[in-house]
Amino acid sequence: MALLDIRNLRVEFRTAQGLFPAVDGIDLTVDEGELLGVVGESGSGKSVTMLALMGLLPWTANVTADRMEFAGRDMLSIPPRERRRLTGAEMAMIFQEPMSSLNPCFTVGFQLTEAIKVHQGGTRRQRRDQAAELLQQVGIPSAASRLSAFPHQLSGGMNQRVMIAMAIACNPKLLIADEPTTALDVTIQAQILDLLVQLQRERGMALILITHDMAVVAETARRVNVMYAGQQVETRPVDSLFDNPRHPYTAALLDALPERASGKTRLPTIPGVVPGIADRPGGCLFHPRCRFAQQRCKTNRPELESDRDGRVRCFFPLDRGEPTDWPEDAESRGSAA
Amino acid sequence: MFRFAITRIAVLLPTFIGVTVIAFSLIRLIPGDPVELLAGERGISAERHAKLMQEMGLDRPLHEQYLTFILDVFQGDLGKSIRTKTPVSEEFFALFPATVELSLCALLFAVAIGLPAGVLAGVRRGKVFDHSVMTVSLAGYSMPIFWWGLLLIILFSGTLGWTPVSGRISVMHFIEPITGFMLIDTLLQGNYAAFNSAVRHLILPAVVLGTIPLAVIARQTRSAMIEVLGEDYVRTARAKGLPPWRIVGLHALRNALIPVVTVIGLQVGLLFSGAILTETIFAWPGIGKWLVDSIHRRDYPSVQGGLLLVASTVMIVNLIVDLLYGLINPRIRHAR
């Protein structure tokens, strides 16, 4: 049985302009010890999905789902007290901005031991030893002396390591890393990613790695979930996704990788932005930015269909960069381009 | 931290000089002089007036008078009251505990109610409790002190008869001053009936004086709380599975307190100015009432000396708040 099983998750935000569906029918399964990559541009609902699972959304959010189970427990009807016992212990999360994610008024040691204290108890001495050991495990030099440091005395990379130490303190079954390297500089990014993957292997925990960087996914994940405007557009194993992307959006993301653009004078981009509350299109949500959009894409919304080794949400999924099942008549084709 | 303290203290010196100038000149801008008011309605002959002014040194040019004043100040001498002929500092410090007692109790009242109300309003943002707290605090903030004091006197002292109308303690009790703080002195002397009386006398003035600071503290706490609750580290605290009281009462409040402590420090100045009105309404024998009396009598040394001491107190309190601020906020403590 899957560790995490989410069916048809919807998250709507109450805004001044009405309900905005930030997450629009997401299915997500993660097995124990699996490393799942979730990619998509800013605003595609990646973080919101995870925050909904963790119960960290603000009160303006309305979360519904057909099923949301973690380790056999129903996360939709779970009482708050039960949920608190799980969050931080069995499922943990680290965030994008390490500098602001740690409380500036408390020492690193306090914040680390606090997580241990709430879920495991133990004596002050034990907690302190454990905290020092955790800092060492996440690669912080002279760990014991860093316990009394305040977050502002450490670098961003160090703070993110502290966040990771805090998240793994209680041996979670699932760790969610929400763009853990976005705010860090490039050399540190690789170190943090390596650390996450190493911890995931050593501890056999499941890891959901949220990112908008396809290159990061290629290096780490085994399965990839591509999201766009609150919907899943494609999910499949990382090798076949990179080898033969079927959704035009996935293909476009891959084309935008500098490594793959060799020989071209200009790096390909995807025109436009992810639709917001005011400009959410009818039909396929990606059609205004899709090179291959047809008349049908403007009027009908495609479902997430199983194909080969994954699932894709497209009427005319690509095969080796060419759309399949295109309509024969030139009229409905020509009007779209 | 030490350097931080030194720089804060150094800044106070020019402020202190400025205060001496203002205290010295303001009272002299008011028409009339001490001799005229000493003479009363019978009036005084011009020669005698001039002679008395000369005796007091008030006939000399202003800059000379100021120089004498400030030189004396730096030697710790604030001069003698024209009215009572006792040293100003002696009069001041005899009455000072009464004002401090009143102000402290008012501040205690303001913090004890304003802080929790602000925290809860911030947590329950947009709910009924939030709106009620904000409405009531706006009303409290807008209420003139003298009007609010009279209303309370009419209700609690007049109609209900629960509290005394004025004074610091019932005339039935005679308390030998030890610390000058009535609540402490009565307890030290084991006179619980007197203590009871002192508390009953204190309640209304403290509430009246504390109302505006309460409103300010509640509003500041609320907005600081709302801001802090949206911070990433509060989300982290929730992601750790901490109980709500710990998230709000520890992680959020500790950060929200930083601006609130500053505001509480600023209220001290407000308390002293408010004390002048409150003490007058409740006939509270403190600095405020004494200053008002001194102004009425153009008792120059008392007014300028009293103002100087009050201003110094406010400055010292603000200095303490600045240092406290460094204790609460580690980022300031470590900054050079």
Side-chain angles (χ1 to χ4, degrees), chain B residues 256-279:
Chain B
L257 271 185
I258 294 169
V260 171
V261 164
T262 315
V263 163
I264 292 176
L266 292 175
Q267 297 313 302
V268 174
L270 203 72
L271 281 173
F272 277 116
S273 61
I276 294 178
L277 283 169
T278 312
E279 288 178 3

Side-chain angles (χ1 to χ4, degrees), chain A residues 246 248 292 294 314 316-326:
Chain A
R246 301 220 65 196
F292 307 106
Q294 304 296 304
C314 185
F316 313 106
L318 303 178
D319 191 17
R320 304 272 155 216
E322 290 302 321
T324 53
D325 304 329
W326 257 27

Side-chain angles (χ1 to χ4, degrees), chain B residues 279-323:
Chain B
E279 288 178 3
T280 310
I281 300 166
F282 289 93
W284 187 268
I287 296 300
K289 194 166 169 299
W290 172 73
L291 267 179
V292 171
D293 291 344
S294 302
I295 292 170
H296 284 322
R297 290 170 203 267
R298 306 291 185 275
D299 191 342
Y300 291 176
S302 294
V303 175
Q304 63 201 24
L307 279 182
L308 196 59
L309 287 173
V310 169
S312 306
T313 314
V314 173
M315 287 194 290
I316 289 168
V317 170
N318 278 319
L319 173 70
I320 293 171
V321 169
D322 274 347
L323 299 181

Side-chain angles (χ1 to χ4, degrees), chain A residues 96-108:
Chain A
Q96 199 176 91
E97 296 282 346
M99 295 306 261
S100 59
S101 291
L102 287 166
N103 195 323
C105 284
F106 298 101
T107 62
V108 163

